[in-house]
Amino acid sequence: MSVSDRPSELRLPTKVVAVRLALAGGSPVLAEVFVAEVAPRGRGHLLDDLAAQLGTETSFIPVRWSNRVRLLGKHAIAWIAVRRGDPDDPPSTDASIEDTEELTLYD
């Protein structure tokens, strides 16, 4: 049975969060981390959900980079950073807020 033939009820609804991550001893790469999808809330709640997932006792997190989805061992991650602002939102007109500002969630 191929992956696309599997029943959809076996899949958990997830939300993708774009991140930069660095593996221990490696260079940063652009990647996506999957978190459980809940009722639509703000970007801050999504980042809280990601931080909570990284803070749990589970040893692996689902990550996509280089067009492949993998379970990545948290012990291999040096750090993970995300943009504070939603990448889909228009740029801010407030000069005091920098759009490229990142928040390190896991280090």
Side-chain angles (χ1 to χ4, degrees):
M1 177 183 285
S2 73
V3 174
S4 61
D5 294 336
R6 291 183 186 160
S8 61
E9 66 268 7
L10 297 178
R11 295 186 184 138
L12 295 174
T14 57
K15 179 111 176 127
V16 176
V17 180
V19 301
R20 282 190 327 125
L21 69 85
L23 300 178
S27 298
V29 296
L30 296 176
E32 296 173 326
V33 176
F34 298 88
V35 296
E37 186 173 346
V38 294
R41 301 182 300 173
R43 175 95 173 151
H45 289 276
L46 180 62
L47 298 181
D48 288 345
D49 293 344
L50 178 57
Q53 178 177 332
L54 293 168
T56 64
E57 293 183 16
T58 60
S59 300
F60 297 90
I61 60 169
V63 176
R64 176 174 41 215
W65 87 86
S66 300
N67 295 325
R68 293 186 57 200
V69 176
R70 322 161 185 208
L71 286 176
L72 184 61
K74 290 195 286 188
H75 66 279
I77 300 171
W79 54 262
I80 292 179
V82 297
R83 287 187 58 188
R84 287 181 187 262
D86 190 340
D88 296 330
D89 287 346
S92 174
T93 57
D94 185 350
S96 66
I97 299 174
E98 204 171 308
D99 289 332
T100 59
E101 194 173 313
E102 286 186 332
L103 172 67
T104 301
L105 288 178
Y106 186 77
D107 189 0

